[in-house]
Amino acid sequence: MDTVQEITAALAEQFGDLKVSEFRGQTRVVVPRDRLFEVAEALHGRHGFDMLVDITCVDYLNYRDARDRFGLVYLFCQTVDGHRLTLRVFVNEPDLNVPSLVPLWEGANWLEREVYDMFGIRFAGHPDLRRILMPAEFTAHPLRKDYPLQGRGERHNFPVITRSSA
Amino acid sequence: MSVELPENVVVSKLDALASWCRKNSLWPMPFATACCGIELMATGASRHDLARFGAEVMRFSPRQCDLMIVAGRVVMKMLPVLQRIWQQMHEPKWCISMGACASTGGVFDTYCVVQGVDRFIPVDMYVPGCPPRPEQLIQAIIDLQDKIQTEGTTFGREFALQRRQQPKRALVELPIIGQLPTGRELSV
């Protein structure tokens, strides 16, 4: 099979505007949002990346030299040769829609729900985009940098059971 | 006038007798959510042997228990479950808050961790430690036995006392770092 360099070269040839970089043996590809699904489809079908390791997100609010607010991280693995590849997708408010990868990898379901819960990124085409960690009535997205560390008092918002009421 | 008692007969109060029976057969409900639960298991195991104090019958049904041991941090999503289990337990019932997290939130001063279960359910005994050693939990159970013996009544009148109701601190919202207390406006 191809090496990671050949795979990224083939990707860059197919989708002209990709930025490929390598750091300490790890390859990452920055993909524009509207091409994410096509690139992922090529990785999944043509290049045999059969495992989606993780989806997560970084909030770059107040980050030095950052130009975009949110940076999504997709980690893929090709289990036959052990290749690993990172995709980065940057999105900005107010349009936080990103195509869902659930049609390609079933495992993306809960990972995307987690990213939605924590950062408020909306995955278009997700079959069941609900909160996965926080309670359903929670309104904020707590891993955003503009959310206070101790919350906005949600953790104290419960009825109190006294001795005589129990 | 004195009454001669036959041998092997002791005179007591019904309250004291009921409390004596209750304190020596506590049935714990292990609400173990974190590493304190491991120490709770160790307390029940053979080396520390909670059976010496009559509290070894861990039941996972709240209907059969009279001592809830909250061992570990409680998050927002878990608190309604905790309250429901507490309400499902029959009177008389007691609660031990085991460890720093259950008592105060511990190091988890975050948006989702409840800062002490005593804000929302009544707690009789607090065990410090992270996690507490089994000896500390045993000490808490011994102290709780003393408490049951000294203030327990047959019909549970002590539970209606004002000081056994919700502690005052639970009604106060602690100020959140980086955010003004509610009701105070920012003056420019």
Side-chain angles (χ1 to χ4, degrees), chain A residues 132-133 138 142 147 149-151 155-156 158-164 166, chain B residues 76-77 79 83 93 109-111 115 120 122 124 159 164-166 173 177:
Chain A
I132 190 169
L133 295 174
F138 204 81
Y147 184 79
L149 278 180
Q150 295 170 314
R155 62 186 182 180
H156 300 314
F158 289 98
V160 177
I161 295 179
T162 61
R163 264 286 178 192
S164 50
Chain B
M76 281 174 63
K77 228 173 169 176
L79 189 76
Q83 288 184 325
K93 58 190 174 186
D109 191 5
T110 65
Y111 54 91
Q115 301 297 293
F120 304 109
D124 290 283
F159 292 142
R164 294 287 299 270
Q165 300 299 314
Q166 186 55 36
E173 169 77 26
I177 295 172

PDB file of all heavy atoms in Angstrom, chain A residues 132-133 138 142 147 149-151 155-156 158-164 166, chain B residues 76-77 79 83 93 109-111 115 120 122 124 159 164-166 173 177:
ATOM      1  N   ILE A 132     -24.812  14.663  24.695  1.00  0.00           N
ATOM      2  CA  ILE A 132     -24.466  13.310  25.118  1.00  0.00           C
ATOM      3  C   ILE A 132     -23.954  13.294  26.545  1.00  0.00           C
ATOM      4  O   ILE A 132     -24.144  12.324  27.266  1.00  0.00           O
ATOM      5  CB  ILE A 132     -23.442  12.687  24.149  1.00  0.00           C
ATOM      6  CG1 ILE A 132     -23.249  11.203  24.431  1.00  0.00           C
ATOM      7  CG2 ILE A 132     -22.111  13.410  24.213  1.00  0.00           C
ATOM      8  CD1 ILE A 132     -22.486  10.476  23.378  1.00  0.00           C
ATOM      9  N   LEU A 133     -23.305  14.373  26.999  1.00  0.00           N
ATOM     10  CA  LEU A 133     -22.752  14.387  28.360  1.00  0.00           C
ATOM     11  C   LEU A 133     -23.585  15.236  29.303  1.00  0.00           C
ATOM     12  O   LEU A 133     -23.927  14.798  30.394  1.00  0.00           O
ATOM     13  CB  LEU A 133     -21.307  14.905  28.349  1.00  0.00           C
ATOM     14  CG  LEU A 133     -20.307  14.031  27.602  1.00  0.00           C
ATOM     15  CD1 LEU A 133     -18.957  14.716  27.534  1.00  0.00           C
ATOM     16  CD2 LEU A 133     -20.157  12.694  28.277  1.00  0.00           C
ATOM     17  N   PHE A 138     -29.609  21.636  29.680  1.00  0.00           N
ATOM     18  CA  PHE A 138     -28.455  22.535  29.737  1.00  0.00           C
ATOM     19  C   PHE A 138     -28.436  23.394  28.482  1.00  0.00           C
ATOM     20  O   PHE A 138     -28.709  22.911  27.385  1.00  0.00           O
ATOM     21  CB  PHE A 138     -27.185  21.694  29.827  1.00  0.00           C
ATOM     22  CG  PHE A 138     -26.019  22.385  30.440  1.00  0.00           C
ATOM     23  CD1 PHE A 138     -25.915  22.480  31.815  1.00  0.00           C
ATOM     24  CD2 PHE A 138     -25.027  22.935  29.648  1.00  0.00           C
ATOM     25  CE1 PHE A 138     -24.832  23.104  32.392  1.00  0.00           C
ATOM     26  CE2 PHE A 138     -23.945  23.566  30.222  1.00  0.00           C
ATOM     27  CZ  PHE A 138     -23.851  23.638  31.596  1.00  0.00           C
ATOM     28  N   PRO A 142     -20.068  24.062  27.433  1.00  0.00           N
ATOM     29  CA  PRO A 142     -19.144  24.404  28.513  1.00  0.00           C
ATOM     30  C   PRO A 142     -17.663  24.390  28.166  1.00  0.00           C
ATOM     31  O   PRO A 142     -16.887  24.941  28.936  1.00  0.00           O
ATOM     32  CB  PRO A 142     -19.456  23.377  29.596  1.00  0.00           C
ATOM     33  CG  PRO A 142     -20.154  22.288  28.927  1.00  0.00           C
ATOM     34  CD  PRO A 142     -20.843  22.850  27.750  1.00  0.00           C
ATOM     35  N   TYR A 147     -16.947  30.500  28.344  1.00  0.00           N
ATOM     36  CA  TYR A 147     -17.818  29.966  29.390  1.00  0.00           C
ATOM     37  C   TYR A 147     -17.021  29.895  30.690  1.00  0.00           C
ATOM     38  O   TYR A 147     -15.892  29.390  30.687  1.00  0.00           O
ATOM     39  CB  TYR A 147     -18.306  28.574  28.980  1.00  0.00           C
ATOM     40  CG  TYR A 147     -19.280  27.961  29.943  1.00  0.00           C
ATOM     41  CD1 TYR A 147     -20.613  28.339  29.952  1.00  0.00           C
ATOM     42  CD2 TYR A 147     -18.857  27.017  30.877  1.00  0.00           C
ATOM     43  CE1 TYR A 147     -21.496  27.784  30.846  1.00  0.00           C
ATOM     44  CE2 TYR A 147     -19.742  26.466  31.769  1.00  0.00           C
ATOM     45  CZ  TYR A 147     -21.056  26.851  31.744  1.00  0.00           C
ATOM     46  OH  TYR A 147     -21.928  26.311  32.652  1.00  0.00           O
ATOM     47  N   LEU A 149     -15.301  28.820  34.165  1.00  0.00           N
ATOM     48  CA  LEU A 149     -14.854  27.498  34.599  1.00  0.00           C
ATOM     49  C   LEU A 149     -15.829  26.864  35.570  1.00  0.00           C
ATOM     50  O   LEU A 149     -16.045  25.665  35.563  1.00  0.00           O
ATOM     51  CB  LEU A 149     -13.490  27.613  35.298  1.00  0.00           C
ATOM     52  CG  LEU A 149     -12.259  27.663  34.427  1.00  0.00           C
ATOM     53  CD1 LEU A 149     -11.032  27.786  35.292  1.00  0.00           C
ATOM     54  CD2 LEU A 149     -12.158  26.433  33.565  1.00  0.00           C
ATOM     55  N   GLN A 150     -16.421  27.701  36.432  1.00  0.00           N
ATOM     56  CA  GLN A 150     -17.323  27.170  37.447  1.00  0.00           C
ATOM     57  C   GLN A 150     -18.775  27.205  37.007  1.00  0.00           C
ATOM     58  O   GLN A 150     -19.671  27.002  37.808  1.00  0.00           O
ATOM     59  CB  GLN A 150     -17.155  27.952  38.742  1.00  0.00           C
ATOM     60  CG  GLN A 150     -15.767  27.754  39.337  1.00  0.00           C
ATOM     61  CD  GLN A 150     -15.507  28.699  40.460  1.00  0.00           C
ATOM     62  OE1 GLN A 150     -15.787  29.879  40.354  1.00  0.00           O
ATOM     63  NE2 GLN A 150     -14.962  28.187  41.532  1.00  0.00           N
ATOM     64  N   GLY A 151     -18.986  27.487  35.739  1.00  0.00           N
ATOM     65  CA  GLY A 151     -20.346  27.476  35.228  1.00  0.00           C
ATOM     66  C   GLY A 151     -21.093  28.749  35.556  1.00  0.00           C
ATOM     67  O   GLY A 151     -20.537  29.698  36.104  1.00  0.00           O
ATOM     68  N   ARG A 155     -25.014  24.225  38.437  1.00  0.00           N
ATOM     69  CA  ARG A 155     -24.783  23.115  39.364  1.00  0.00           C
ATOM     70  C   ARG A 155     -25.511  23.305  40.683  1.00  0.00           C
ATOM     71  O   ARG A 155     -25.560  22.388  41.489  1.00  0.00           O
ATOM     72  CB  ARG A 155     -23.279  22.964  39.621  1.00  0.00           C
ATOM     73  CG  ARG A 155     -22.664  24.180  40.274  1.00  0.00           C
ATOM     74  CD  ARG A 155     -21.179  24.067  40.379  1.00  0.00           C
ATOM     75  NE  ARG A 155     -20.623  25.230  41.063  1.00  0.00           N
ATOM     76  CZ  ARG A 155     -19.344  25.415  41.296  1.00  0.00           C
ATOM     77  NH1 ARG A 155     -18.481  24.530  40.905  1.00  0.00           N
ATOM     78  NH2 ARG A 155     -18.922  26.485  41.919  1.00  0.00           N
ATOM     79  N   HIS A 156     -26.047  24.515  40.933  1.00  0.00           N
ATOM     80  CA  HIS A 156     -26.797  24.729  42.175  1.00  0.00           C
ATOM     81  C   HIS A 156     -28.293  24.791  41.923  1.00  0.00           C
ATOM     82  O   HIS A 156     -29.048  25.087  42.837  1.00  0.00           O
ATOM     83  CB  HIS A 156     -26.359  26.037  42.832  1.00  0.00           C
ATOM     84  CG  HIS A 156     -24.905  26.043  43.164  1.00  0.00           C
ATOM     85  ND1 HIS A 156     -24.282  24.990  43.787  1.00  0.00           N
ATOM     86  CD2 HIS A 156     -23.936  26.960  42.950  1.00  0.00           C
ATOM     87  CE1 HIS A 156     -23.006  25.259  43.945  1.00  0.00           C
ATOM     88  NE2 HIS A 156     -22.767  26.433  43.438  1.00  0.00           N
ATOM     89  N   PHE A 158     -31.029  23.036  41.737  1.00  0.00           N
ATOM     90  CA  PHE A 158     -31.786  21.812  42.011  1.00  0.00           C
ATOM     91  C   PHE A 158     -32.681  22.035  43.217  1.00  0.00           C
ATOM     92  O   PHE A 158     -32.360  22.844  44.078  1.00  0.00           O
ATOM     93  CB  PHE A 158     -30.833  20.639  42.292  1.00  0.00           C
ATOM     94  CG  PHE A 158     -30.102  20.170  41.090  1.00  0.00           C
ATOM     95  CD1 PHE A 158     -28.813  20.597  40.856  1.00  0.00           C
ATOM     96  CD2 PHE A 158     -30.686  19.307  40.184  1.00  0.00           C
ATOM     97  CE1 PHE A 158     -28.109  20.170  39.743  1.00  0.00           C
ATOM     98  CE2 PHE A 158     -29.998  18.889  39.078  1.00  0.00           C
ATOM     99  CZ  PHE A 158     -28.723  19.314  38.853  1.00  0.00           C
ATOM    100  N   PRO A 159     -33.781  21.298  43.314  1.00  0.00           N
ATOM    101  CA  PRO A 159     -34.591  21.396  44.534  1.00  0.00           C
ATOM    102  C   PRO A 159     -33.820  20.830  45.724  1.00  0.00           C
ATOM    103  O   PRO A 159     -33.022  19.907  45.583  1.00  0.00           O
ATOM    104  CB  PRO A 159     -35.826  20.539  44.210  1.00  0.00           C
ATOM    105  CG  PRO A 159     -35.378  19.628  43.141  1.00  0.00           C
ATOM    106  CD  PRO A 159     -34.385  20.382  42.329  1.00  0.00           C
ATOM    107  N   VAL A 160     -34.068  21.406  46.901  1.00  0.00           N
ATOM    108  CA  VAL A 160     -33.406  20.978  48.129  1.00  0.00           C
ATOM    109  C   VAL A 160     -34.343  20.053  48.887  1.00  0.00           C
ATOM    110  O   VAL A 160     -35.509  20.389  49.102  1.00  0.00           O
ATOM    111  CB  VAL A 160     -33.039  22.212  48.982  1.00  0.00           C
ATOM    112  CG1 VAL A 160     -32.415  21.766  50.293  1.00  0.00           C
ATOM    113  CG2 VAL A 160     -32.083  23.103  48.223  1.00  0.00           C
ATOM    114  N   ILE A 161     -33.832  18.884  49.258  1.00  0.00           N
ATOM    115  CA  ILE A 161     -34.630  17.925  50.039  1.00  0.00           C
ATOM    116  C   ILE A 161     -34.226  18.057  51.493  1.00  0.00           C
ATOM    117  O   ILE A 161     -33.061  17.867  51.837  1.00  0.00           O
ATOM    118  CB  ILE A 161     -34.407  16.496  49.543  1.00  0.00           C
ATOM    119  CG1 ILE A 161     -34.927  16.370  48.116  1.00  0.00           C
ATOM    120  CG2 ILE A 161     -35.121  15.510  50.438  1.00  0.00           C
ATOM    121  CD1 ILE A 161     -34.738  15.019  47.536  1.00  0.00           C
ATOM    122  N   THR A 162     -35.174  18.410  52.339  1.00  0.00           N
ATOM    123  CA  THR A 162     -34.881  18.537  53.765  1.00  0.00           C
ATOM    124  C   THR A 162     -35.257  17.244  54.472  1.00  0.00           C
ATOM    125  O   THR A 162     -35.844  16.341  53.888  1.00  0.00           O
ATOM    126  CB  THR A 162     -35.652  19.711  54.371  1.00  0.00           C
ATOM    127  OG1 THR A 162     -37.040  19.453  54.213  1.00  0.00           O
ATOM    128  CG2 THR A 162     -35.302  21.005  53.691  1.00  0.00           C
ATOM    129  N   ARG A 163     -34.925  17.202  55.755  1.00  0.00           N
ATOM    130  CA  ARG A 163     -35.233  16.028  56.553  1.00  0.00           C
ATOM    131  C   ARG A 163     -36.729  15.768  56.611  1.00  0.00           C
ATOM    132  O   ARG A 163     -37.196  14.642  56.530  1.00  0.00           O
ATOM    133  CB  ARG A 163     -34.723  16.242  57.973  1.00  0.00           C
ATOM    134  CG  ARG A 163     -33.372  15.646  58.212  1.00  0.00           C
ATOM    135  CD  ARG A 163     -33.482  14.159  58.308  1.00  0.00           C
ATOM    136  NE  ARG A 163     -32.165  13.567  58.489  1.00  0.00           N
ATOM    137  CZ  ARG A 163     -31.942  12.274  58.376  1.00  0.00           C
ATOM    138  NH1 ARG A 163     -32.912  11.479  58.041  1.00  0.00           N
ATOM    139  NH2 ARG A 163     -30.759  11.795  58.575  1.00  0.00           N
ATOM    140  N   SER A 164     -37.506  16.841  56.758  1.00  0.00           N
ATOM    141  CA  SER A 164     -38.931  16.630  56.964  1.00  0.00           C
ATOM    142  C   SER A 164     -39.668  16.370  55.646  1.00  0.00           C
ATOM    143  O   SER A 164     -40.766  15.829  55.655  1.00  0.00           O
ATOM    144  CB  SER A 164     -39.541  17.844  57.652  1.00  0.00           C
ATOM    145  OG  SER A 164     -39.158  19.021  56.975  1.00  0.00           O
ATOM    146  N   ALA A 166     -38.478  14.439  53.192  1.00  0.00           N
ATOM    147  CA  ALA A 166     -38.135  13.147  52.592  1.00  0.00           C
ATOM    148  C   ALA A 166     -39.020  12.031  53.136  1.00  0.00           C
ATOM    149  O   ALA A 166     -39.527  12.112  54.216  1.00  0.00           O
ATOM    150  CB  ALA A 166     -36.669  12.817  52.860  1.00  0.00           C
TER     151      ALA A 166
ATOM    152  N   MET B  76     -24.018  17.005  38.086  1.00  0.00           N
ATOM    153  CA  MET B  76     -25.374  17.531  37.873  1.00  0.00           C
ATOM    154  C   MET B  76     -26.352  16.468  37.404  1.00  0.00           C
ATOM    155  O   MET B  76     -27.503  16.438  37.809  1.00  0.00           O
ATOM    156  CB  MET B  76     -25.343  18.603  36.790  1.00  0.00           C
ATOM    157  CG  MET B  76     -24.867  19.932  37.208  1.00  0.00           C
ATOM    158  SD  MET B  76     -24.764  20.964  35.763  1.00  0.00           S
ATOM    159  CE  MET B  76     -26.455  21.033  35.263  1.00  0.00           C
ATOM    160  N   LYS B  77     -25.889  15.600  36.513  1.00  0.00           N
ATOM    161  CA  LYS B  77     -26.786  14.607  35.935  1.00  0.00           C
ATOM    162  C   LYS B  77     -27.119  13.510  36.947  1.00  0.00           C
ATOM    163  O   LYS B  77     -28.126  12.844  36.835  1.00  0.00           O
ATOM    164  CB  LYS B  77     -26.118  13.988  34.713  1.00  0.00           C
ATOM    165  CG  LYS B  77     -27.001  13.932  33.499  1.00  0.00           C
ATOM    166  CD  LYS B  77     -26.184  13.473  32.320  1.00  0.00           C
ATOM    167  CE  LYS B  77     -27.057  13.144  31.143  1.00  0.00           C
ATOM    168  NZ  LYS B  77     -26.252  12.781  29.976  1.00  0.00           N
ATOM    169  N   LEU B  79     -27.304  14.020  40.331  1.00  0.00           N
ATOM    170  CA  LEU B  79     -27.954  14.501  41.553  1.00  0.00           C
ATOM    171  C   LEU B  79     -29.438  14.152  41.620  1.00  0.00           C
ATOM    172  O   LEU B  79     -29.911  13.720  42.678  1.00  0.00           O
ATOM    173  CB  LEU B  79     -27.748  16.008  41.711  1.00  0.00           C
ATOM    174  CG  LEU B  79     -28.226  16.462  43.072  1.00  0.00           C
ATOM    175  CD1 LEU B  79     -27.239  16.087  44.142  1.00  0.00           C
ATOM    176  CD2 LEU B  79     -28.532  17.908  43.109  1.00  0.00           C
ATOM    177  N   GLN B  83     -31.100  12.097  44.743  1.00  0.00           N
ATOM    178  CA  GLN B  83     -32.246  12.555  45.516  1.00  0.00           C
ATOM    179  C   GLN B  83     -33.382  11.540  45.469  1.00  0.00           C
ATOM    180  O   GLN B  83     -34.049  11.288  46.466  1.00  0.00           O
ATOM    181  CB  GLN B  83     -32.732  13.893  44.974  1.00  0.00           C
ATOM    182  CG  GLN B  83     -31.776  15.026  45.299  1.00  0.00           C
ATOM    183  CD  GLN B  83     -32.302  16.361  44.850  1.00  0.00           C
ATOM    184  OE1 GLN B  83     -32.963  16.451  43.817  1.00  0.00           O
ATOM    185  NE2 GLN B  83     -31.995  17.401  45.586  1.00  0.00           N
ATOM    186  N   LYS B  93     -33.620   6.978  58.494  1.00  0.00           N
ATOM    187  CA  LYS B  93     -32.485   6.811  57.588  1.00  0.00           C
ATOM    188  C   LYS B  93     -31.452   7.875  57.883  1.00  0.00           C
ATOM    189  O   LYS B  93     -31.771   8.942  58.400  1.00  0.00           O
ATOM    190  CB  LYS B  93     -32.947   6.910  56.142  1.00  0.00           C
ATOM    191  CG  LYS B  93     -33.637   8.218  55.800  1.00  0.00           C
ATOM    192  CD  LYS B  93     -34.262   8.130  54.439  1.00  0.00           C
ATOM    193  CE  LYS B  93     -35.072   9.373  54.131  1.00  0.00           C
ATOM    194  NZ  LYS B  93     -35.797   9.252  52.878  1.00  0.00           N
ATOM    195  N   ASP B 109     -13.974  21.760  41.133  1.00  0.00           N
ATOM    196  CA  ASP B 109     -14.750  22.995  41.220  1.00  0.00           C
ATOM    197  C   ASP B 109     -15.116  23.415  39.802  1.00  0.00           C
ATOM    198  O   ASP B 109     -14.705  24.456  39.307  1.00  0.00           O
ATOM    199  CB  ASP B 109     -13.927  24.063  41.930  1.00  0.00           C
ATOM    200  CG  ASP B 109     -14.770  25.268  42.283  1.00  0.00           C
ATOM    201  OD1 ASP B 109     -15.985  25.211  42.064  1.00  0.00           O
ATOM    202  OD2 ASP B 109     -14.200  26.259  42.755  1.00  0.00           O
ATOM    203  N   THR B 110     -15.878  22.581  39.125  1.00  0.00           N
ATOM    204  CA  THR B 110     -16.198  22.820  37.724  1.00  0.00           C
ATOM    205  C   THR B 110     -17.694  23.002  37.539  1.00  0.00           C
ATOM    206  O   THR B 110     -18.467  22.883  38.483  1.00  0.00           O
ATOM    207  CB  THR B 110     -15.739  21.644  36.848  1.00  0.00           C
ATOM    208  OG1 THR B 110     -16.496  20.496  37.215  1.00  0.00           O
ATOM    209  CG2 THR B 110     -14.289  21.345  37.061  1.00  0.00           C
ATOM    210  N   TYR B 111     -18.077  23.286  36.303  1.00  0.00           N
ATOM    211  CA  TYR B 111     -19.457  23.624  36.009  1.00  0.00           C
ATOM    212  C   TYR B 111     -20.432  22.505  36.313  1.00  0.00           C
ATOM    213  O   TYR B 111     -21.607  22.754  36.519  1.00  0.00           O
ATOM    214  CB  TYR B 111     -19.584  24.040  34.545  1.00  0.00           C
ATOM    215  CG  TYR B 111     -19.036  23.018  33.564  1.00  0.00           C
ATOM    216  CD1 TYR B 111     -19.839  22.043  33.051  1.00  0.00           C
ATOM    217  CD2 TYR B 111     -17.717  23.061  33.196  1.00  0.00           C
ATOM    218  CE1 TYR B 111     -19.340  21.103  32.173  1.00  0.00           C
ATOM    219  CE2 TYR B 111     -17.205  22.135  32.321  1.00  0.00           C
ATOM    220  CZ  TYR B 111     -18.023  21.158  31.811  1.00  0.00           C
ATOM    221  OH  TYR B 111     -17.528  20.237  30.967  1.00  0.00           O
ATOM    222  N   GLN B 115     -21.260  20.974  44.431  1.00  0.00           N
ATOM    223  CA  GLN B 115     -20.270  21.342  45.445  1.00  0.00           C
ATOM    224  C   GLN B 115     -20.750  20.916  46.829  1.00  0.00           C
ATOM    225  O   GLN B 115     -21.021  21.732  47.706  1.00  0.00           O
ATOM    226  CB  GLN B 115     -20.013  22.847  45.384  1.00  0.00           C
ATOM    227  CG  GLN B 115     -19.497  23.305  44.039  1.00  0.00           C
ATOM    228  CD  GLN B 115     -18.158  22.705  43.714  1.00  0.00           C
ATOM    229  OE1 GLN B 115     -17.169  23.015  44.365  1.00  0.00           O
ATOM    230  NE2 GLN B 115     -18.098  21.837  42.719  1.00  0.00           N
ATOM    231  N   PHE B 120     -28.210  19.589  48.904  1.00  0.00           N
ATOM    232  CA  PHE B 120     -29.472  19.114  48.347  1.00  0.00           C
ATOM    233  C   PHE B 120     -30.105  17.954  49.100  1.00  0.00           C
ATOM    234  O   PHE B 120     -31.286  17.704  48.927  1.00  0.00           O
ATOM    235  CB  PHE B 120     -29.275  18.736  46.881  1.00  0.00           C
ATOM    236  CG  PHE B 120     -28.722  19.875  46.078  1.00  0.00           C
ATOM    237  CD1 PHE B 120     -27.428  19.865  45.613  1.00  0.00           C
ATOM    238  CD2 PHE B 120     -29.498  20.993  45.837  1.00  0.00           C
ATOM    239  CE1 PHE B 120     -26.920  20.932  44.902  1.00  0.00           C
ATOM    240  CE2 PHE B 120     -29.002  22.054  45.128  1.00  0.00           C
ATOM    241  CZ  PHE B 120     -27.715  22.029  44.657  1.00  0.00           C
ATOM    242  N   PRO B 122     -30.057  16.008  53.216  1.00  0.00           N
ATOM    243  CA  PRO B 122     -29.506  16.140  54.564  1.00  0.00           C
ATOM    244  C   PRO B 122     -28.407  15.118  54.815  1.00  0.00           C
ATOM    245  O   PRO B 122     -28.532  13.950  54.427  1.00  0.00           O
ATOM    246  CB  PRO B 122     -30.719  15.895  55.465  1.00  0.00           C
ATOM    247  CG  PRO B 122     -31.677  15.167  54.629  1.00  0.00           C
ATOM    248  CD  PRO B 122     -31.459  15.567  53.223  1.00  0.00           C
ATOM    249  N   ASP B 124     -25.695  13.474  57.750  1.00  0.00           N
ATOM    250  CA  ASP B 124     -25.462  13.338  59.186  1.00  0.00           C
ATOM    251  C   ASP B 124     -23.990  13.341  59.542  1.00  0.00           C
ATOM    252  O   ASP B 124     -23.606  13.807  60.604  1.00  0.00           O
ATOM    253  CB  ASP B 124     -26.067  12.019  59.673  1.00  0.00           C
ATOM    254  CG  ASP B 124     -27.573  12.060  59.635  1.00  0.00           C
ATOM    255  OD1 ASP B 124     -28.146  12.678  60.521  1.00  0.00           O
ATOM    256  OD2 ASP B 124     -28.162  11.494  58.698  1.00  0.00           O
ATOM    257  N   PHE B 159     -35.795  13.919  63.781  1.00  0.00           N
ATOM    258  CA  PHE B 159     -35.603  14.334  62.393  1.00  0.00           C
ATOM    259  C   PHE B 159     -36.341  15.620  62.081  1.00  0.00           C
ATOM    260  O   PHE B 159     -36.050  16.292  61.102  1.00  0.00           O
ATOM    261  CB  PHE B 159     -36.086  13.236  61.441  1.00  0.00           C
ATOM    262  CG  PHE B 159     -35.222  12.009  61.499  1.00  0.00           C
ATOM    263  CD1 PHE B 159     -35.786  10.755  61.407  1.00  0.00           C
ATOM    264  CD2 PHE B 159     -33.848  12.120  61.641  1.00  0.00           C
ATOM    265  CE1 PHE B 159     -34.993   9.624  61.461  1.00  0.00           C
ATOM    266  CE2 PHE B 159     -33.049  10.998  61.700  1.00  0.00           C
ATOM    267  CZ  PHE B 159     -33.622   9.748  61.613  1.00  0.00           C
ATOM    268  N   ARG B 164     -31.729  19.872  62.380  1.00  0.00           N
ATOM    269  CA  ARG B 164     -31.498  18.723  61.520  1.00  0.00           C
ATOM    270  C   ARG B 164     -32.034  18.958  60.112  1.00  0.00           C
ATOM    271  O   ARG B 164     -31.944  18.088  59.262  1.00  0.00           O
ATOM    272  CB  ARG B 164     -32.162  17.474  62.096  1.00  0.00           C
ATOM    273  CG  ARG B 164     -31.584  16.995  63.404  1.00  0.00           C
ATOM    274  CD  ARG B 164     -30.230  16.353  63.201  1.00  0.00           C
ATOM    275  NE  ARG B 164     -30.285  15.185  62.343  1.00  0.00           N
ATOM    276  CZ  ARG B 164     -30.478  13.952  62.801  1.00  0.00           C
ATOM    277  NH1 ARG B 164     -30.627  13.730  64.065  1.00  0.00           N
ATOM    278  NH2 ARG B 164     -30.498  12.937  61.973  1.00  0.00           N
ATOM    279  N   GLN B 165     -32.601  20.122  59.891  1.00  0.00           N
ATOM    280  CA  GLN B 165     -33.102  20.431  58.547  1.00  0.00           C
ATOM    281  C   GLN B 165     -31.939  20.875  57.664  1.00  0.00           C
ATOM    282  O   GLN B 165     -30.785  20.699  58.015  1.00  0.00           O
ATOM    283  CB  GLN B 165     -34.185  21.506  58.620  1.00  0.00           C
ATOM    284  CG  GLN B 165     -35.380  21.115  59.456  1.00  0.00           C
ATOM    285  CD  GLN B 165     -36.086  19.886  58.906  1.00  0.00           C
ATOM    286  OE1 GLN B 165     -36.329  19.792  57.732  1.00  0.00           O
ATOM    287  NE2 GLN B 165     -36.395  18.948  59.783  1.00  0.00           N
ATOM    288  N   GLN B 166     -32.281  21.462  56.564  1.00  0.00           N
ATOM    289  CA  GLN B 166     -31.273  21.850  55.598  1.00  0.00           C
ATOM    290  C   GLN B 166     -30.223  22.781  56.205  1.00  0.00           C
ATOM    291  O   GLN B 166     -30.573  23.772  56.818  1.00  0.00           O
ATOM    292  CB  GLN B 166     -31.970  22.561  54.447  1.00  0.00           C
ATOM    293  CG  GLN B 166     -31.083  22.904  53.308  1.00  0.00           C
ATOM    294  CD  GLN B 166     -30.372  21.685  52.782  1.00  0.00           C
ATOM    295  OE1 GLN B 166     -30.913  20.596  52.741  1.00  0.00           O
ATOM    296  NE2 GLN B 166     -29.132  21.873  52.401  1.00  0.00           N
ATOM    297  N   GLU B 173     -25.407  30.914  47.549  1.00  0.00           N
ATOM    298  CA  GLU B 173     -24.633  30.678  46.326  1.00  0.00           C
ATOM    299  C   GLU B 173     -23.255  31.293  46.507  1.00  0.00           C
ATOM    300  O   GLU B 173     -23.129  32.494  46.752  1.00  0.00           O
ATOM    301  CB  GLU B 173     -25.347  31.321  45.146  1.00  0.00           C
ATOM    302  CG  GLU B 173     -24.542  31.390  43.884  1.00  0.00           C
ATOM    303  CD  GLU B 173     -24.477  30.054  43.173  1.00  0.00           C
ATOM    304  OE1 GLU B 173     -25.408  29.248  43.373  1.00  0.00           O
ATOM    305  OE2 GLU B 173     -23.522  29.824  42.453  1.00  0.00           O
ATOM    306  N   ILE B 177     -15.821  32.693  40.376  1.00  0.00           N
ATOM    307  CA  ILE B 177     -14.658  33.453  39.940  1.00  0.00           C
ATOM    308  C   ILE B 177     -14.896  33.996  38.537  1.00  0.00           C
ATOM    309  O   ILE B 177     -15.346  33.276  37.651  1.00  0.00           O
ATOM    310  CB  ILE B 177     -13.402  32.559  39.971  1.00  0.00           C
ATOM    311  CG1 ILE B 177     -13.110  32.172  41.410  1.00  0.00           C
ATOM    312  CG2 ILE B 177     -12.218  33.259  39.362  1.00  0.00           C
ATOM    313  CD1 ILE B 177     -12.008  31.151  41.546  1.00  0.00           C
TER     314      ILE B 177
END
